[in-house]
Structures are given as structure tokens and as C-alpha cells.
Amino acid sequence: MTSNTELSPPTSKQLDASDQLAAYRERFVEPKDGSVIAYLDGNSLGRPLRVTAASLATFIQGDWGTGLIRSWDEKWMDEPTVVGDRLGDVVLGAAPGQTFIGDSTSVLLYKLLRAGLEGQPGRNQLVIDRDNFPTDRFIVEGIAAERDAEIVWIDPDPTAGVTPADVAAAVGPHTAVVLLSHVAYRSGSLADAPAITRLVKDAGGLMMWDLSHSVGSVPLELDAWGVDLAVGCTYKYLNGGPGAPALAYINSSLVSRLRQPIWGWMGASDPFEMSANFEPAANVRRFITGTPPILAMQPLKDMTELIADVGMAAIREKSIALTEHAIALAEELLVPLGVEIASPREPSQRGSHVSVNHPLFADVTARLWEQGVIPDFRPPHGLRIGLSPLSTSFAEVQRGIEAIRDVLVSLQ
Ligand SMILES: Cc1ncc(COP(=O)(O)O)c(C=O)c1O
């Protein structure tokens, strides 16, 4: 081997050959008709696991088809917290009794944020950043209008995301709750959750994380970090399927103290007592509202067990290798065409997707989809390359970035 060869970065082929997790790609459904050349959008919708087809069939035949209504008594009533506790153990770093599955992320943002605000008497400020995902900002604006709260806006650097210094400047004696995304949906920047959580709590606020873009791709230690509240999507890196119900985490120190705003019979201390007045359950079930979406939470169970087999540390290692590869390829093939890399270069400061900017990317993305190359587009000119650690190969990243280059060249 010449010293030149030693210095050149590894090829996609070499990276796939040495990938310890390569065999897991087989576990996912992949169309055999050649209609998908590169799937780079697992950060929006993860691929289905093959085993899920069988587990859904078993569920329909067994728990639903045979158990019928009896399955509510036998298992389904506990399913939101059983699945939540398992996710807490494998993925969230959360002891039992603090996590459940149900509702959408948006609805859970509303329920937990309002519960948090009302649990902070004498404090009327909600803190959020202007680059946060629209639903997070809209929910904050809605609650502020409804409860006459004040919004404190953080204006982060669009690439680096919200820093501890940004948060330190925004919190104070009136801070009720701070809501931030752990991984920013646009740039993929990874916030320093332990440091920010500490800062917020030192100021007497409650820290709430939206984990939608980190859960299943970045190791989490919610209990150890002292997080108060968290929500997150399960259809991205947890492969729960389109519209799969979300996760909610309420720290044990708050479970019996906070009251969520949507009182329904499933959050009552005894739903089947059919009582005259609402008495919330003493445990985390008080944050549930209506009948839990049991069918829709089945696929998530398969992915949680797969993650338990692999381990979050190995998943993070592959995620970093994939994003490093994507950035190296983008620098080589896209930057010379005027593309800007809009994600942090330092691996410890980003999640599992890489964003690149170019004024033609709306058109480019539409043409890529026609070819079976599937990233996604976020206005005004961002193309996101989402890299699901267990289902994406290094060669797939290369095929995708070469296709972006080819379409861009054809349009320029
Ligand atoms: C950071 C973040 N929060 C919330 C949501 C929306 O969640 P839902 O539409 O499931 O309520 C998304 C969706 O992509 C997201 O990226």
C-alpha cells in the first residue's frame, strides 16, 4: 500500500465491508423492484421491519381476533406503559413509571407543556427557539395565548443550534418551562442536553425536550440528566410506521404533582368506575386521555427489541460514520457546485441527518424522487440527507449524493 492510498478516505465499499451492523439491513423491508435507489429519509419515516408483518398478523389473529374485548383486561390497558417502560429502559435512560405511548407528538407537547406551566406558579415564561419545528412553536404560541404566558424567543445560529450560552441568557426567575429539540430538524445539530438541562433547573425552570430526531439514533440518559419532561416521534428512528403514537416522559418527581389539561376517562384513577367527577390516576397514566392506540403501537415494539439487541452505543457509532461519509462526499461532489453544508462538522455536535443548501434544491428533490432517490426538502433551500443507522448502507449514501450532483448539474 502506498502512503497516498493510506491517506485517502475509505470508500463506500470498504466502509460497508467493515460495518459490524451491516447484516441488520436485511431486517428491513426493501422493495425488490428497483424503485428505491437510495432511501435518505428515515429521519422522517423509518422503513418497516420485516418481522413487523408477522407480528401484526399474529396480533390480528391472536390478541385482537381471538382475545377480542378480553384483551383489554388481559394486556391492552397496560400496553401504553409497558411499551413505554421498555422504551425507557432500552432507549431513553428512564426508570419504569415515567414513560407512556399515546397521542401524537403535537398533542403530547400540548399536554405536557401546559401541565408544566401550571405546575410552576408565579412563573409565566415559556422559552423556545425560532428554529424549532413548527408544531413546537405553534403549541407554545397557542398555550401562551390561552394562559396569558410570555414567550421568550432564542435566536440560535442556524447551523450550530441552541447552545448553553443561548439558554443561560434566556432563563431567569420567571422561566416556567424551556422547550427545545434535542436534534434540530433542519440542521441536525445536537444540543448539549445535560448542560442545558442543568442550567434550566438551576434557574428554577422545567426542562422539556422534543426527542423526535434523536430517539433511536442518539443515546439518551433522561433520568441521569435530570430532564423534567420529554416527548418524541416514534415513526422516525423507531420505525413505528406512519402516524405511530408518540412517546411521553414525565420525571418521577413530577408525575403525581402535574395535572395535564385534557381530562379523559383513561387518565382517571379507575376508568371503569364510571365516576361522577374526574380524579386523576396517581401514576403516569394520569397523562393519558382516551383509549390508547394499541394497534398502532405494535411495530414500535419490534424496533425496540432490535435496538436492545444492537445497543445504542453501536447505533450511534454507525450513525456518526454515516454522517461523516455523507459530509465527505458532499464536500467532494456538491460543494464545488455551490452547495453549502448546513450541519455541524463536529460529529459530537450533530444527530443522524445532514442538511445541505442550494437555491435549486426544491426542483432537485422532486426529480430525485422520480428516480427513486429519496431525501427530503425543507424550505427555503435545504435538502436533508437522513441516515438511519440500521437500515442505511454507505454505498446507498454515495448513490444518493452522486444522484444529487447529477441532477444539480443537469439543472444548472
Ligand atoms: C421535532 C418534531 N417535533 C414534532 C413533530 C410532529 O409530530 P406529529 O406530527 O407526529 O405530532 C415532528 C415531525 O416531523 C418533528 O420533527
Side-chain angles (χ1 to χ4, degrees):
M1 224 186 243
T2 69
S3 58
N4 260 354
T5 320
E6 276 164 18
L7 284 175
S8 57
T11 63
S12 300
K13 205 168 162 191
Q14 288 166 334
L15 288 165
D16 277 323
S18 61
D19 175 10
Q20 303 288 314
L21 307 187
Y24 287 101
R25 291 205 312 274
E26 292 285 303
R27 307 279 187 103
F28 296 85
V29 174
E30 206 173 338
K32 298 282 178 234
D33 60 1
S35 62
V36 178
I37 309 293
Y39 189 55
L40 304 174
D41 210 9
N43 57 317
S44 274
L45 177 67
R47 286 178 183 271
L49 275 171
R50 283 163 55 180
V51 72
T52 296
S55 37
L56 283 177
T58 303
F59 177 86
I60 290 169
Q61 188 63 40
D63 291 356
W64 183 6
T66 306
L68 294 165
I69 194 79
R70 293 170 294 188
S71 290
W72 277 113
D73 287 354
E74 283 160 18
K75 50 166 45 162
W76 290 342
M77 283 298 278
D78 292 333
E79 195 90 333
T81 50
V82 168
V83 179
D85 283 347
R86 181 70 180 142
L87 190 70
D89 182 32
V90 173
V91 180
L92 304 177
Q98 308 174 101
T99 310
F100 74 93
I101 307 296
D103 302 316
S104 64
T105 303
S106 301
V107 169
L108 289 176
L109 277 165
Y110 177 76
K111 287 161 74 165
L112 267 52
L113 195 59
R114 249 200 69 171
L117 175 64
E118 263 135 65
Q120 292 275 75
R123 291 172 173 258
N124 74 333
Q125 289 180 344
L126 298 173
V127 180
I128 187 167
D129 65 296
R130 284 193 206 276
D131 277 351
N132 213 327
F133 189 75
T135 213
D136 299 64
R137 292 183 278 108
F138 299 163
I139 298 280
V140 164
E141 289 181 312
I143 291 178
E146 203 172 60
R147 307 304 295 165
D148 206 17
E150 187 189 336
I151 306 176
V152 176
W153 292 100
I154 293 174
D155 280 300
D157 176 273
T159 301
V162 179
T163 63
D166 292 333
V167 176
V171 295
H174 302 294
T175 305
V177 189
V178 177
L179 168 62
L180 298 173
S181 283
H182 188 205
V183 169
Y185 82 100
R186 218 186 262 287
S187 72
S189 62
L190 172 65
D192 185 344
I196 291 176
T197 302
R198 221 174 303 121
L199 265 166
V200 171
K201 303 196 71 167
D202 286 349
L206 295 180
M207 183 66 223
M208 176 162 171
W209 288 104
D210 182 334
L211 307 172
S212 293
H213 286 275
S214 60
V215 66
S217 67
V218 177
L220 302 167
E221 292 296 341
L222 300 187
D223 286 352
W225 297 342
V227 170
D228 295 299
L229 303 163
V231 297
C233 299
T234 66
Y235 47 75
K236 300 176 186 290
Y237 299 107
L238 294 177
N239 305 67
L247 71 94
Y249 165 92
I250 300 99
N251 189 281
S252 57
S253 61
L254 297 170
V255 164
S256 60
R257 186 162 83 68
L258 297 188
R259 274 203 168 206
Q260 60 107 344
I262 311 178
W263 297 2
W265 71 309
M266 284 287 167
S269 56
D270 182 355
F272 288 96
E273 196 181 285
M274 304 294 169
S275 54
N277 299 107
F278 180 72
E279 179 57 41
N283 58 22
V284 74
R285 296 194 65 89
R286 63 171 43 203
F287 296 91
I288 296 176
T289 298
T291 303
I294 303 298
L295 179 60
M297 68 178 76
Q298 298 308 308
L300 166 64
K301 298 198 305 195
D302 294 328
M303 190 59 184
T304 307
E305 294 316 314
L306 183 60
I307 294 175
D309 269 3
V310 183
M312 279 308 305
I315 289 175
R316 173 69 172 153
E317 203 181 311
K318 168 101 185 263
S319 160
I320 287 178
L322 284 165
T323 54
E324 285 285 90
H325 193 47
I327 289 180
L329 288 167
E331 264 168 355
E332 185 190 331
L333 304 177
L334 303 181
V335 170
L337 302 174
V339 170
E340 177 207 356
I341 296 176
S343 295
R345 301 296 176 101
E346 166 56 44
S348 66
Q349 290 170 13
R350 64 173 185 258
S352 208
H353 69 269
V354 170
S355 284
V356 284
N357 290 338
H358 190 282
L360 293 176
F361 272 162
D363 284 351
V364 169
T365 307
R367 288 182 194 219
L368 288 169
W369 279 40
E370 286 165 12
Q371 301 177 10
V373 173
I374 315 179
D376 67 18
F377 174 74
R378 289 292 174 265
H381 45 232
L383 183 150
R384 295 190 307 180
I385 302 166
L387 303 161
S388 283
L390 294 179
S391 60
T392 312
S393 72
F394 293 91
E396 197 174 6
V397 178
Q398 180 162 351
R399 284 197 297 277
I401 292 180
E402 285 174 350
I404 297 169
R405 174 203 56 195
D406 293 347
V407 174
L408 192 53
V409 167
S410 75
L411 290 176
Q412 274 182 332

